[in-house]
Amino acid sequence: PSSDCVMAEQLCLSDSTCNATYRTLENCALAKTHLLSLDHNSRVRCLNAELDLGNSSLLHCKCHRRMKRQEHCLRVFWTVHSSITDGYFNLETSPYENPANEEHWKTDYNKLAALVSGKNCSQLAGDAKNPCLRATHICNLSKKCFRLRTDYASICTKGAGSEDVCDRRKCHRGLRNFFEKVPEDFTKRILFCPCQDEFCGERRRKTIVPNCSFQYNTKPNCLWLLDSCLEDHICKSRLADFQQNCQPLDTSPDGCSLHNHAACLQAYMGMIGTPMTPNYVSNSSVEVSLWCTCENSGNQKEKCDQILSMFESNKCL
């Protein structure tokens, strides 16, 4: 039965046979993390160790997006499934539990939205024309939404306008906190608010404070972004989740293999606050992209273009 990987690890470590197999897999995963090339015998030993787990709960364990020990859980998952990370497009097994199986919080979003609608203040006059402004006002009425949004905005704007560079790592952590801990009723409406004009589009584009979380002084190569992502358990997991839930399919009427747009949008939100953070590319469209380029990719240009097109040309997304 599926269980979270932290519990599954504890069960395995209490059994001498499973413990020994798991320690072998830890060494295999460590070698991969440090990009050490394994000889043929070592690769066979690693694959055999994974097969030896058989029906162990470790082999079928998953993680939850909002769990407390998420990084630990994801480390366990990739230790057990290290063989599936050989190639970029093999990252199709998401370590996350199906969203339908996760507990959804009851929120007071509609109640707060009614409060905003009932107010006749001049500051809210633009709400009808600017859904992004309205979503922000409703967030401000929720203590948790307001606090966590203020937190990341504060961290991500430190150093702006001066010679200091913002702390991107802290900014990303603050963004992940916001999107993981605030109910989706709030976060989705702030990030995906429908805009009719550029002023609204500008507010939507700046939701994630792109000067810090998204843009570098010069665009890095997309392959470099991918390498940074695969070295990070959270980013690698979010990328696998995105690949699984936003898999385009040309023969499908909606362009999406799973036909589950809610899961795809959730997976897209999961990428924000990682080294592969995406964002809107302009104030006047809903096109999104990574902040990277495929120039000077040499003989890996095709792979680089595929990474970029996952966001720029993804019909499912």
Side-chain angles (χ1 to χ4, degrees):
S2 178
S3 63
D4 84 62
C5 294
V6 177
M7 289 172 59
E9 182 192 42
Q10 289 171 353
L11 281 172
C12 176
L13 296 181
S14 65
D15 175 271
S16 58
T17 306
C18 187
N19 191 324
T21 304
Y22 184 65
R23 296 305 181 195
T24 300
L25 286 171
E26 278 188 318
N27 291 331
C28 299
L30 197 63
K32 283 203 152 193
T33 303
H34 295 292
L35 303 177
L36 301 175
S37 56
L38 297 171
D39 59 35
H40 175 72
N41 289 339
S42 297
R43 283 200 300 273
V44 170
R45 189 166 61 249
C46 292
L47 281 170
N48 284 340
E50 200 169 309
L51 291 170
D52 284 345
L53 285 177
N55 290 322
S56 160
S57 55
L58 264 176
L59 203 58
H60 308 288
C61 71
K62 293 279 187 178
C63 301
H64 297 282
R65 292 164 184 81
R66 299 172 185 259
M67 68 189 295
K68 285 183 180 176
R69 300 178 68 189
Q70 184 180 164
E71 286 189 58
H72 182 114
C73 186
L74 295 173
R75 181 181 63 76
V76 175
F77 179 90
W78 291 116
T79 295
V80 176
H81 296 282
S82 61
S83 66
I84 65 170
T85 64
D86 282 338
Y88 162 64
F89 285 103
N90 289 335
L91 270 185
E92 290 172 6
T93 300
S94 172
Y96 289 111
E97 186 70 73
N98 187 315
N101 298 337
E102 292 193 351
E103 188 179 337
H104 289 279
W105 298 340
K106 290 180 181 176
T107 70
D108 51 1
Y109 184 89
N110 291 332
K111 194 186 296 181
L112 297 178
L115 279 176
V116 167
S117 300
K119 288 184 178 179
N120 189 22
C121 307
S122 57
Q123 66 168 9
L124 303 181
D127 274 10
K129 293 181 181 176
N130 192 336
C132 294
L133 200 60
R134 175 181 168 80
T136 304
H137 286 142
I138 294 169
C139 170
N140 289 345
L141 292 176
S142 161
K143 286 181 183 177
K144 177 177 269 189
C145 191
F146 175 71
R147 176 173 57 81
L148 291 173
R149 183 171 167 272
T150 304
D151 282 353
Y152 83 72
S154 169
I155 296 165
C156 299
T157 49
K158 276 181 185 171
S162 68
E163 291 182 4
D164 296 329
V165 179
C166 75
D167 190 327
R168 181 173 280 110
R169 189 180 289 272
K170 282 187 178 176
C171 174
H172 280 168
R173 195 183 305 131
L175 279 165
R176 290 203 308 272
N177 253 344
F178 176 74
F179 286 106
E180 283 176 16
K181 294 181 179 177
V182 175
E184 285 179 22
D185 272 357
F186 294 91
T187 55
K188 277 188 175 176
R189 282 173 167 90
I190 286 176
L191 191 64
F192 302 124
C193 40
C195 288
Q196 302 298 322
D197 59 59
E198 287 203 19
F199 178 71
C200 177
E202 171 74 353
R203 189 172 190 93
R204 180 175 60 189
R205 196 177 67 80
K206 288 191 171 176
T207 294
I208 65 167
V209 197
N211 287 350
C212 184
S213 70
F214 177 66
Q215 292 168 218
Y216 296 77
N217 290 333
T218 56
K219 280 189 176 182
N221 187 281
C222 299
L223 294 167
W224 179 83
L225 272 194
L226 176 65
D227 288 342
S228 301
C229 183
L230 296 180
E231 289 170 9
D232 178 285
H233 284 308
I234 286 184
C235 188
K236 180 164 67 172
S237 301
R238 303 295 172 85
L239 182 60
D241 198 50
F242 180 80
Q243 276 195 291
Q244 178 175 295
N245 290 296
C246 298
Q247 190 72 255
L249 186 68
D250 289 337
T251 56
S252 171
D254 63 357
C256 188
S257 62
L258 292 185
H259 311 294
N260 190 341
H261 293 288
C264 179
L265 291 182
Q266 185 183 52
Y268 173 87
M269 285 198 300
M271 295 302 301
I272 295 172
T274 71
M276 286 182 73
T277 294
N279 197 26
Y280 297 99
V281 295
S282 76
N283 305 337
S284 53
S285 77
V286 290
E287 288 178 36
V288 296
S289 181
L290 297 172
W291 183 261
C292 62
T293 177
C294 283
E295 291 177 17
N296 306 316
S297 296
N299 60 3
Q300 288 193 297
K301 187 170 188 312
E302 186 180 346
K303 178 181 177 182
C304 186
D305 287 337
Q306 285 176 313
I307 296 163
L308 199 51
S309 68
M310 259 210 322
F311 293 88
E312 288 186 346
S313 314
N314 189 329
K315 288 181 183 176
C316 178
L317 180 64

